[in-house]
Amino acid sequence: MKNHTLTGPKGFRVSAVKAGIKASGKLDLGLIIADKPCVAVGMFTQNKIVASAVTVSKEHLSNNKAQAIYVNAGNANACTGQKGHNDSVTIAEKVAELFELTPENVLVASTGIIGEMLPMGNVLNGIEKAAEKIDQGSRGAKRFAKAIMTTDTKVKTAYAEVKLGSKIVRLAATVKGAGMIAPNMATMLCFITTDVNISPALLKRALKDTVEITFNKVTIDKHESTNDSIFALASGLAENNKISKQDLNYRKFAKALWEICDDLAQQMAADGEGANNAVTVKVAGAANATDAHNAVRAIVDSPLVRCAFHGADPNWGRIVSAVGFSGAKFNESKLSCKIADTFVYRNGKPADFDFKALSKQMKEKEWQVLVNLGAGKHEDFCYTCDLSRDYITINADYHT
Amino acid sequence: MKNHTLTGPKGFRVSAVKAGIKASGKLDLGLIIADKPCVAVGMFTQNKIVASAVTVSKEHLSNNKAQAIYVNAGNANACTGQKGHNDSVTIAEKVAELFELTPENVLVASTGIIGEMLPMGNVLNGIEKAAEKIDQGSRGAKRFAKAIMTTDTKVKTAYAEVKLGSKIVRLAATVKGAGMIAPNMATMLCFITTDVNISPALLKRALKDTVEITFNKVTIDKHESTNDSIFALASGLAENNKISKQDLNYRKFAKALWEICDDLAQQMAADGEGANNAVTVKVAGAANATDAHNAVRAIVDSPLVRCAFHGADPNWGRIVSAVGFSGAKFNESKLSCKIADTFVYRNGKPADFDFKALSKQMKEKEWQVLVNLGAGKHEDFCYTCDLSRDYITINADYHT
């Protein structure tokens, strides 16, 4: 059986421990240590309020090299001022000291509640414990995937292999995110390890292009976080001929990267806070890309639409009226909507359909909404989920 | 005791009946009949998908005259194609016939589920019954306020008097709206009667200016409806000197109009679907009006923020991070946030506050959030409410 975790690609060691940052006492602190400096790229939240971990990691990525990543869940270390910033710097220094690295080669990520100071005693002890356990192989990587969870109910990992010339290149990724999810340019926390041999510029390009059509297409609650970060570390140990132009090998690698990120993006939507259904909303027939985007977002950002999903109610009026206020151009006499492959509105008129049968289909785990604006050839899509009472419970009854 | 209903201003008769349009069998059809043609103005949804009632009423208002308004709840007659349009025309004709008016002087409004045909037999019988009961005085007006309710739990009416010269001018209004509420230029259904003597141009201007700072400041779920309509009928029977320029009398009248609309806007937020709290969110210190608007909307449109309201959780991190993704310019070292008059974040740093005491205050019916961006002198505000499990129940478990 293959080692389908962050330690699958050659050259990475991973561990996680219970550091006492999460109130629950669960796993909450993880480390990724590469055997040697990696080509490293990252993308971050576009929120103007950013966590200190984001500021520090951006700085440390300026040379596109990194050898270690620290992460904690349970505390975002955001809106914590100069003290919070100093804590992130101290964390990078501590990891560097234990593994004999320079602090600039250590990246830092945090997720959890905003506005509280990290319990630095627990954090520093946790880093020492995690350093001791760094040689546990895939067991450490599995614990890592658990340690980054906050309101996630499921571990989210993906793995791919691709043959470049005679060499097998491995890619692994793990992600967290279930609430405060509406990524913009980057997303939640995501960690990617790969042993591909690639130039920094092309790793960056592959990551950016991929994020745009995977994580940036997920929305759970339209609330863009202060801590979103995605990191990719490439060890080069697959020993493929170095990818340094956009050739066939680049495209094969980029496709594998897209596959694992798309897989994770769909896992995120399915595990949205309180979610029962993963729903893909697609808009076709738009006059331009902006219209396609705006129409999709008006639909998925409407709590009324997502309550109808939750109630397995094929209430297409809410979907069509969201298109109406989206600002997107449409041809009303061609405007159509399908829910789970059934026409509910066709060419500007209500369609006849079996309400009960369709409602039953909407109770399934995964289905699609397809809207055609009848105004052009552009398309866009979004991964989302239903809006349930459990979402309210998670976000009203707990101080997270 | 004064007659504080739509029949309070001189020259109006109002009635409502159970026509069998609402599945519940409750009051669902109303009529407002003026003694003579009124100066009439209206504002409508900016949604590009508009109900046939909106199309017909816009047309009938082109001469700024009207003598009658028909309204039904339980069915929006939206997305119902040519047949739906013909039904709205037939309704205006029926009312005109019974009261010996021209159909062009009859306005039409509908609210309820989108995409189903009106039960025209019930509608036409209902109009006849309502015509028979038109002389019931304030009792009819009270029934009318009930008849327009859908998921509203409370009747929403307001009344004002203002002295212009030696004459008393009376204004009355009633409104419905609890879900699919994010008005843009006009709002939900609102009916205003007044006996003021005023030119159409100034009645229109007063209405537009008022709507902009009252109903357009309400959001319950960011979903702009297909049927939003607001009508104002002025009978002129107060016999004040005709208002035909923006003088002191215009300002007195406009202020009274603002008072009743602001009162109703706050009643709407307090009665938002599933709401327990009415929360006014204000943003000050913005560099320009657009920034103030965008920051307010990012806060009130975040389900995370509104879940924290519901949980009486002074979770300012959600508010401050919403400002961060709003696109508004702010000065982070001056950025501050008050909840219910308590600083929770001040000059870019978490403030010390009594969590339990503030949480208790947040359980009260009405309170404010005040954010200062520290970047200028512009302000904006919004009336909203908490997001509760009951909102989900109302919108998931019922096909409305």
Side-chain angles (χ1 to χ4, degrees):
Chain A
M1 193 175 139
K2 280 173 188 162
N3 174 3
H4 285 185
T5 67
L6 291 182
T7 53
K10 289 184 186 172
F12 298 96
R13 295 180 295 164
V14 179
S15 66
V17 298
K18 297 173 186 176
I21 304 166
K22 283 182 186 167
S24 65
K26 292 185 177 171
L27 289 166
D28 52 13
L29 185 153
L31 291 178
I32 302 174
I33 307 293
D35 296 344
K36 53 172 205 151
C38 289
V39 169
V41 299
M43 289 174 72
F44 302 93
T45 181
Q46 297 295 300
N47 197 310
K48 288 186 195 169
I49 305 264
V50 300
S52 65
V54 170
T55 311
V56 168
S57 293
K58 273 185 181 171
E59 214 176 286
H60 290 187
L61 275 174
S62 57
N63 62 354
N64 289 315
K65 272 191 194 156
Q67 197 169 348
I69 302 178
Y70 158 94
V71 60
N72 73 262
N75 184 315
N77 193 17
C79 301
T80 47
Q82 187 60 43
K83 169 78 171 72
H85 179 80
N86 294 348
D87 288 346
S88 288
V89 170
T90 302
I91 285 167
E93 287 170 353
K94 177 75 180 180
V95 174
E97 182 197 319
L98 291 170
F99 291 94
E100 299 181 0
L101 313 173
T102 62
E104 288 67 35
N105 278 355
V106 180
L107 307 177
V108 181
S110 294
T111 182
I113 186 152
I114 294 172
E116 294 184 3
M117 291 295 162
L118 276 174
M120 283 301 286
N122 293 355
V123 166
L124 297 175
N125 287 335
I127 293 173
E128 286 183 8
K129 270 168 51 188
E132 286 165 18
K133 292 175 188 263
I134 199 70
D135 287 310
Q136 295 187 325
S138 67
R139 180 160 180 263
K142 281 174 191 157
R143 286 163 61 91
F144 183 96
K146 280 185 194 159
I148 61 175
M149 291 163 67
T150 50
T151 54
D152 307 67
T153 68
K154 292 189 180 107
V155 159
K156 300 174 192 77
T157 62
Y159 181 82
E161 291 182 357
V162 58
K163 206 167 176 189
L164 302 187
S166 61
K167 304 296 185 184
I168 300 291
V169 166
R170 297 158 198 85
L171 304 90
T174 186
V175 78
K176 68 80 54 179
M180 202 177 272
I181 290 289
N184 178 13
M185 296 307 288
T187 180
M188 17 26 86
L189 294 184
C190 179
F191 305 93
I192 301 171
T193 59
T194 173
D195 46 23
V196 73
N197 185 16
I198 191 168
S199 73
L202 285 181
L203 184 59
K204 195 179 278 185
R205 174 165 200 116
L207 185 65
K208 186 170 182 301
D209 289 351
T210 296
V211 165
E212 200 58 58
I213 56 169
T214 56
F215 297 122
N216 281 5
K217 299 299 186 192
V218 180
T219 189
I220 291 167
D221 53 18
K222 206 188 164 300
H223 195 114
E224 187 185 332
S225 118
T226 47
N227 288 50
D228 293 343
S229 301
I230 178 165
F231 300 109
L233 299 187
S235 70
L237 294 178
E239 296 182 336
N240 56 296
N241 287 331
K242 186 169 178 173
I243 300 175
S244 53
K245 61 175 192 286
Q246 291 188 49
D247 55 8
L248 179 64
N249 280 345
Y250 172 79
R251 290 196 297 276
K252 283 166 114 176
F253 170 76
K255 180 162 179 284
L257 184 64
W258 169 78
E259 274 170 10
I260 61 170
C261 290
D262 191 59
D263 183 352
L264 290 173
Q266 295 195 48
Q267 290 184 44
M268 280 174 67
D271 194 31
E273 287 176 343
N276 299 287
N277 316 108
V279 183
T280 303
V281 176
K282 289 189 180 173
V283 166
N288 55 57
T290 305
D291 276 7
H293 176 88
N294 289 345
V296 166
R297 295 292 163 154
I299 296 166
V300 298
D301 289 341
S302 166
L304 276 178
V305 168
R306 294 178 51 229
C307 282
F309 293 172
H310 182 59
D313 178 1
N315 195 326
W316 56 263
R318 296 181 184 173
I319 297 169
V320 171
S321 60
V323 170
F325 70 74
S326 70
K329 192 177 153 189
F330 55 85
N331 180 340
E332 195 163 348
S333 70
K334 288 191 183 168
L335 186 62
S336 299
C337 177
K338 271 186 183 178
I339 298 176
D341 292 322
T342 300
F343 271 113
V344 288
Y345 188 72
R346 193 168 197 172
N347 295 330
K349 284 192 284 288
D352 275 331
F353 63 91
D354 182 337
F355 189 98
K356 274 196 179 167
L358 182 51
S359 179
K360 202 176 156 196
Q361 275 185 280
M362 291 173 75
K363 288 185 180 126
E364 287 173 14
K365 284 270 171 226
E366 284 182 41
W367 42 271
Q368 293 200 349
V369 169
L370 179 60
V371 172
N372 197 309
L373 304 182
K377 291 189 179 297
H378 290 265
E379 301 188 348
D380 202 354
F381 70 97
C382 204
Y383 299 131
T384 190
C385 57
D386 56 312
L387 179 60
S388 70
R389 276 170 287 265
D390 289 347
Y391 177 90
I392 311 289
T393 301
I394 291 164
N395 288 300
D397 299 352
Y398 304 105
H399 184 65
T400 54
Chain B
M1 196 177 139
K2 282 175 190 160
N3 174 1
H4 286 184
T5 68
L6 292 181
T7 52
K10 289 183 186 173
F12 298 96
R13 295 180 294 164
V14 180
S15 66
V17 298
K18 298 174 185 174
I21 305 167
K22 284 182 185 167
S24 64
K26 292 185 177 172
L27 288 167
D28 53 13
L29 186 154
L31 291 178
I32 301 175
I33 306 294
D35 297 343
K36 54 172 205 152
C38 289
V39 169
V41 300
M43 291 175 72
F44 301 92
T45 181
Q46 297 294 299
N47 197 310
K48 288 186 196 168
I49 306 265
V50 300
S52 64
V54 170
T55 312
V56 168
S57 293
K58 273 185 181 171
E59 215 176 284
H60 289 189
L61 274 173
S62 58
N63 63 354
N64 290 316
K65 272 191 196 157
Q67 196 168 349
I69 303 179
Y70 158 94
V71 60
N72 73 263
N75 185 315
N77 193 16
C79 302
T80 46
Q82 187 61 43
K83 168 80 171 72
H85 179 80
N86 295 348
D87 288 345
S88 288
V89 171
T90 302
I91 286 167
E93 287 169 353
K94 178 76 181 177
V95 174
E97 180 197 320
L98 291 171
F99 291 94
E100 298 180 1
L101 313 173
T102 63
E104 288 66 35
N105 278 354
V106 180
L107 308 177
V108 181
S110 294
T111 182
I113 186 150
I114 293 172
E116 293 183 4
M117 291 296 161
L118 276 174
M120 282 301 286
N122 293 355
V123 167
L124 297 176
N125 286 337
I127 293 172
E128 287 183 8
K129 271 168 51 189
E132 285 164 20
K133 291 174 188 264
I134 200 69
D135 287 312
Q136 296 187 325
S138 67
R139 180 159 180 263
K142 282 175 192 158
R143 285 164 60 94
F144 182 97
K146 279 186 194 159
I148 61 176
M149 291 162 68
T150 51
T151 53
D152 307 68
T153 68
K154 293 188 180 107
V155 159
K156 301 175 190 74
T157 61
Y159 182 82
E161 292 182 358
V162 58
K163 203 167 176 189
L164 303 186
S166 62
K167 305 295 184 184
I168 300 291
V169 166
R170 296 158 199 85
L171 303 90
T174 188
V175 77
K176 68 79 56 179
M180 202 177 273
I181 289 290
N184 179 13
M185 297 309 289
T187 181
M188 24 13 93
L189 294 185
C190 179
F191 305 92
I192 301 170
T193 58
T194 173
D195 46 24
V196 72
N197 185 16
I198 191 168
S199 74
L202 286 180
L203 184 58
K204 195 180 278 185
R205 173 165 201 115
L207 185 66
K208 186 170 182 302
D209 290 350
T210 296
V211 165
E212 200 58 60
I213 55 168
T214 56
F215 298 121
N216 280 6
K217 298 300 185 190
V218 180
T219 189
I220 290 167
D221 53 19
K222 206 186 162 302
H223 195 113
E224 188 184 330
S225 119
T226 46
N227 288 51
D228 293 344
S229 301
I230 178 166
F231 299 109
L233 299 188
S235 69
L237 294 179
E239 298 184 334
N240 57 295
N241 288 330
K242 187 168 180 176
I243 300 176
S244 53
K245 61 176 193 286
Q246 291 188 49
D247 55 9
L248 178 64
N249 281 345
Y250 171 79
R251 291 196 296 276
K252 282 165 116 177
F253 171 75
K255 181 161 179 286
L257 185 63
W258 169 78
E259 274 171 11
I260 61 171
C261 290
D262 191 59
D263 182 353
L264 290 173
Q266 296 196 47
Q267 290 184 43
M268 281 175 68
D271 194 31
E273 287 176 342
N276 299 287
N277 316 109
V279 183
T280 302
V281 176
K282 289 190 180 174
V283 166
N288 56 57
T290 304
D291 276 8
H293 176 88
N294 290 345
V296 165
R297 295 291 163 154
I299 297 166
V300 298
D301 288 341
S302 166
L304 276 178
V305 168
R306 294 178 51 230
C307 282
F309 293 171
H310 183 59
D313 179 0
N315 195 327
W316 55 264
R318 296 182 184 171
I319 297 168
V320 171
S321 60
V323 170
F325 70 73
S326 70
K329 192 177 155 192
F330 55 86
N331 180 340
E332 195 163 348
S333 69
K334 287 191 184 169
L335 187 61
S336 300
C337 178
K338 271 185 183 180
I339 299 177
D341 292 323
T342 300
F343 272 112
V344 287
Y345 189 73
R346 192 168 197 174
N347 295 328
K349 284 192 286 287
D352 276 330
F353 62 91
D354 182 337
F355 188 98
K356 274 196 179 165
L358 181 52
S359 178
K360 202 176 156 198
Q361 275 186 280
M362 291 173 75
K363 288 184 180 128
E364 287 172 14
K365 283 271 170 225
E366 283 183 42
W367 41 272
Q368 292 200 349
V369 169
L370 178 60
V371 171
N372 197 309
L373 303 182
K377 292 188 177 299
H378 291 265
E379 302 188 350
D380 202 353
F381 70 96
C382 205
Y383 298 130
T384 189
C385 58
D386 58 311
L387 179 60
S388 70
R389 277 169 287 266
D390 290 346
Y391 177 90
I392 310 292
T393 302
I394 291 164
N395 287 299
D397 298 352
Y398 304 104
H399 184 66
T400 55

